Amino acid sequence: MKVLLTFSLIWTTVNCARILGIFHMPSYSHQVVFQPIWRELSLRGHQVTVLTAHPLKDPSLVNLTEIDVSAINVPIPKRMNFMQYIVKEQPIHVKVKKTLELNYAISEALLSDKRFIDIYNNSNSKFDLVLVQPYIAPTLYAVATKLEAPFVGVSSFGGFIGAYYAMGNPHPPSLYSDIFLPYHGRMTFSERFRSTLYYLWSRYYWTFHALPKCDQIAKKYLGQDLPYIGDIEKNMSLLLLSNPILYERRPNVPTVIDLEMLHVKPVKPLPTDLKQFLDNAKEGVIYFSLGSNVLSAGLSENLKKVLMEAFSELPYKILWKFEDDKLPGKPKNVEIRKWLPQQDVLAHSNVKVFLTQSGLQSIEEAISRGVPMVGMPFISDQAWNIRRLVEEGAAVGLEHSTLTKEELKSALLEVINNPTYKENVLRLQKVWSDQPMPALERAVWWIEYVIRHKGTRHLRSPTADVTWFEYLLVDVILAILSAITLVLFILYKMIKFTFRKSTVEQKKAKKGKQS
Ligand SMILES: *[C@@H]1O[C@H](CO)[C@@H](O)[C@H](O)[C@H]1NC(C)=O
Ligand SMILES: *[C@@H]1O[C@H](CO)[C@@H](O)[C@H](O)[C@H]1NC(C)=O
Ligand SMILES: *[C@@H]1O[C@H](CO)[C@@H](O)[C@H](O)[C@H]1NC(C)=O
């Protein structure tokens, strides 16, 4: 009883916290992961203010204030032609530099916005917690420092090297590469070699280019008296990561927390016409969508032709998320829609396979609904994702630039007709949905934990504060090597001395005999 009372007392103290969420990247597939978190926090009675390009606009959420920044950040990636720099064919340093540049531009644009200035440059602004998006650059974390509030990073995928480093999470390049590099686990020699070179370049580039640039932007808007951004980054209370299903297991420090299927909702009934289409497709349905970043309507004419020819020769219905009204030459068995309730479509029993760009959120949805995949990666981490799914036996991977009709047909037929793909997806689903509490509840519990304890200094790993040469024991190894060298040197001198002495004596003795 006493325990219960103390417990409820602790809970009442966080009944009504003020939370600011800064979700600066405009991509929908990132924002869908954060939406349930800010919704849930507001429903629990917290006063939540978020900056986002994808507001929920739900009037029943009375404790939620959404500042729609879509007019500010959505045009920026387009203006920078961002997509063309993160296609999987680009070298990794180009992807990283462009993603950083995008971050700088978006951070500046948001920090210049009147509505945001009214929040961060206002002595009446009081927040108990700031939620940030740890998407490569830490610039906006400085807003939390300015507001004197602890902050929590919420990612829509895994962590970048910089974030792991700041949290003190071990990141040996022998075992882990980076989100944009398609290596992991037992790497071959050349993979470890590249992973190591990338790691060294990445640490160098962060320390001497990225962090100083972020620091400069943060200080320009938030004041010159701000601590260095690299130190602010190390003050992150928690790093919440999504989608551990595909990532290599790690020895995470206590402040790095994996959450799976955060955005997956219970199955809802389908709109009537869609339900009819799927119900009637007794022969089976291939669901095809390239997500929200890669648009089907923008594919090359050649690839569209290959897709349509393959579809027309398959004995199934195809449901295709296609963003235009018309698709010239559309085969009879193909149905196009501009937008589809993907989680609910995937839950329909007639859906046999999901032809996907293999974005993380799509993969989590397919796994949660038990649908095997054929993956066709285009950008960012997608090539890595599909490689992992193929290893798990849950998908077949394709290369879109050289794709032929026969390859596509045989990949789809293989996944539909060979039951091992479905079995492996169901295995992943079972293993990953078996958790002490659902991911959203865990996320909210940890966020409120930070509010209750005003940070997580007591959970901080010492790895966050030691230098690299202390961590790698470079000084200790040098000391041991010096001691060994000294002992060897003394031994050498002693041997040399006794040897010389004895030869001198021998010579003396020889001389004595002669005379
Ligand atoms: C709003 O917050 C108050 C407490 O701050 C809480 O009692 C109420 O249930 C919340 N309402 C909704 C709809 O979230
Ligand atoms: C913040 O407020 C101070 C004075 O109240 C003002 O001088 C400064 O320009 C403001 N900063 C921004 C970014 O508007
Ligand atoms: C880190 O957080 C603590 C407590 O919230 C604060 O006192 C300190 O100034 C912060 N340091 C930096 C560099 O942000």
Side-chain angles (χ1 to χ4, degrees):
M1 187 62 211
K2 210 173 169 188
V3 175
L4 212 76
L5 212 71
T6 336
F7 192 69
S8 63
L9 270 179
I10 292 174
W11 279 79
T12 47
T13 56
V14 275
N15 248 351
C16 186
R18 288 146 305 183
I19 299 172
L20 172 66
I22 308 169
F23 298 105
H24 64 289
M25 294 301 286
S27 161
Y28 178 74
S29 62
H30 294 292
Q31 301 291 323
V32 285
V33 179
F34 312 134
Q35 284 171 346
I37 297 180
W38 75 63
R39 179 176 180 277
E40 187 62 24
L41 286 168
S42 86
L43 285 174
R44 292 174 67 98
H46 301 300
Q47 297 301 315
V48 182
T49 306
V50 290
L51 267 79
T52 173
H54 297 275
L56 292 166
K57 292 191 184 137
D58 178 348
S60 73
L61 300 171
V62 294
N63 299 319
L64 175 65
T65 312
E66 289 173 315
I67 300 175
D68 184 349
V69 292
S70 56
I72 299 163
N73 63 3
V74 171
I76 297 177
K78 289 191 191 124
R79 200 174 66 217
M80 291 175 64
N81 272 326
F82 181 62
M83 278 299 164
Q84 91 185 43
Y85 294 104
I86 54 162
V87 292
K88 62 186 186 349
E89 291 77 13
Q90 290 279 9
I92 178 145
H93 65 276
V94 172
K95 286 183 200 164
V96 169
K97 284 181 180 173
K98 277 290 159 185
T99 311
L100 279 165
E101 278 169 29
L102 178 69
N103 263 278
Y104 305 150
I106 290 178
S107 304
E108 287 223 49
L110 292 185
L111 287 166
S112 318
D113 184 65
K114 173 83 176 63
R115 296 163 297 172
F116 196 24
I117 294 173
D118 282 346
I119 292 174
Y120 72 72
N121 204 27
N122 177 348
S123 53
N124 294 325
S125 283
K126 291 272 178 291
F127 287 97
D128 303 295
L129 184 86
V130 178
L131 298 173
V132 293
Q133 192 181 352
Y135 191 85
I136 271 207
T139 321
L140 293 167
Y141 305 176
V143 172
T145 310
K146 172 95 175 171
L147 294 169
E148 294 174 4
F151 65 101
V152 168
V154 193
S155 172
S156 49
F157 46 93
F160 286 97
I161 289 179
Y164 281 136
Y165 178 79
M167 300 305 283
N169 221 36
H171 188 95
S174 51
L175 292 177
Y176 311 106
S177 55
D178 199 22
I179 289 175
F180 290 155
L181 274 184
Y183 320 133
H184 79 107
R186 283 297 285 274
M187 297 183 215
T188 62
F189 172 77
S190 81
E191 288 174 343
R192 268 178 294 130
F193 193 77
R194 277 181 237 180
S195 169
T196 307
L197 286 187
Y198 172 71
Y199 181 80
L200 294 174
W201 173 81
S202 169
R203 290 298 320 134
Y204 159 80
Y205 194 76
W206 243 248
T207 313
F208 297 106
H209 295 270
L211 287 180
K213 179 72 187 169
C214 295
D215 190 58
Q216 186 200 335
I217 297 170
K219 290 201 164 114
K220 177 174 164 194
Y221 293 92
L222 300 163
Q224 293 298 326
D225 50 349
L226 216 61
Y228 185 62
I229 197 78
D231 297 326
I232 292 177
E233 189 183 25
K234 283 177 169 262
N235 237 5
M236 184 183 276
S237 291
L238 288 179
L239 177 60
L240 306 180
L241 303 175
S242 299
N243 203 324
I245 302 173
L246 292 187
Y247 294 122
E248 196 66 22
R249 303 296 87 218
R250 291 172 177 266
N252 283 343
V253 297
T255 48
V256 173
I257 289 154
D258 284 326
L259 299 163
E260 64 300 312
M261 305 195 212
L262 255 175
H263 73 292
V264 175
K265 297 186 185 67
V267 182
K268 284 194 300 285
L270 288 161
T272 324
D273 59 329
L274 205 54
K275 184 173 181 320
Q276 245 166 26
F277 171 79
L278 288 165
D279 284 348
N280 292 341
K282 296 273 185 282
E283 67 277 41
V285 175
I286 296 169
Y287 172 55
F288 175 34
S289 166
L290 296 178
S292 54
N293 290 316
V294 184
L295 301 181
S296 301
L299 294 179
S300 71
E301 287 308 317
N302 184 45
L303 183 54
K304 272 191 227 166
K305 191 165 150 263
V306 169
L307 288 164
M308 283 194 284
E309 280 178 8
F311 290 159
S312 70
E313 291 174 18
L314 286 165
Y316 303 101
K317 289 265 163 55
I318 320 292
L319 181 58
W320 183 351
K321 179 192 159 264
F322 189 82
E323 304 80 13
D324 240 332
D325 291 316
K326 281 208 184 73
L327 172 59
K330 179 175 80 68
K332 269 205 214 80
N333 59 340
V334 174
E335 175 85 9
I336 55 170
R337 297 290 168 97
K338 284 190 184 168
W339 188 254
L340 286 150
Q342 180 159 297
Q343 299 190 13
D344 305 323
V345 169
L346 287 170
H348 197 282
S349 57
N350 285 346
V351 174
K352 301 267 183 222
V353 55
F354 178 18
L355 177 57
T356 169
Q357 88 288 12
S358 46
L360 282 180
Q361 279 68 43
S362 288
I363 289 174
E364 277 198 327
E365 291 171 14
I367 290 176
S368 78
R369 306 306 192 221
V371 179
M373 286 155 270
V374 171
M376 195 159 61
F378 284 81
I379 58 164
S380 185
D381 56 346
Q382 292 167 0
W384 190 92
N385 301 340
I386 191 64
R387 188 173 138 161
R388 282 287 299 116
L389 277 179
V390 170
E391 279 172 5
E392 294 285 353
V396 167
L398 293 174
E399 170 51 54
H400 68 80
S401 59
T402 54
L403 188 68
T404 63
K405 180 182 83 179
E406 292 307 324
E407 276 172 358
L408 179 59
K409 267 173 66 181
S410 79
L412 289 166
L413 289 171
E414 163 73 7
V415 173
I416 292 173
N417 295 325
N418 182 342
T420 60
Y421 296 94
K422 176 99 180 166
E423 282 160 21
N424 282 320
V425 168
L426 290 173
R427 172 178 57 81
L428 290 175
Q429 180 212 61
K430 278 214 187 74
V431 166
W432 284 101
S433 52
D434 193 358
Q435 301 285 350
M437 45 176 171
L440 183 58
E441 267 177 58
R442 258 177 295 146
V444 168
W445 187 87
W446 274 108
I447 289 168
E448 292 186 336
Y449 178 92
V450 174
I451 299 169
R452 286 197 291 277
H453 303 288
K454 301 185 170 50
T456 56
R457 298 300 292 187
H458 55 289
L459 292 182
R460 188 179 176 86
S461 162
T463 42
D465 299 309
V466 295
T467 59
W468 63 269
F469 65 89
E470 286 170 320
Y471 181 77
L472 293 175
L473 293 170
V474 173
D475 45 356
V476 174
I477 292 169
L478 282 179
I480 293 174
L481 285 180
S482 315
I484 293 174
T485 316
L486 191 68
V487 169
L488 287 178
F489 182 72
I490 292 171
L491 270 175
Y492 168 74
K493 279 288 178 196
M494 278 164 68
I495 291 168
K496 206 171 158 190
F497 181 73
T498 31
F499 183 70
R500 200 182 275 164
K501 216 173 149 189
S502 65
T503 42
V504 168
E505 271 162 13
Q506 272 171 11
K507 271 184 190 163
K508 261 188 195 165
K510 261 190 191 167
K511 263 188 188 170
K513 263 185 202 165
Q514 275 169 2
S515 57

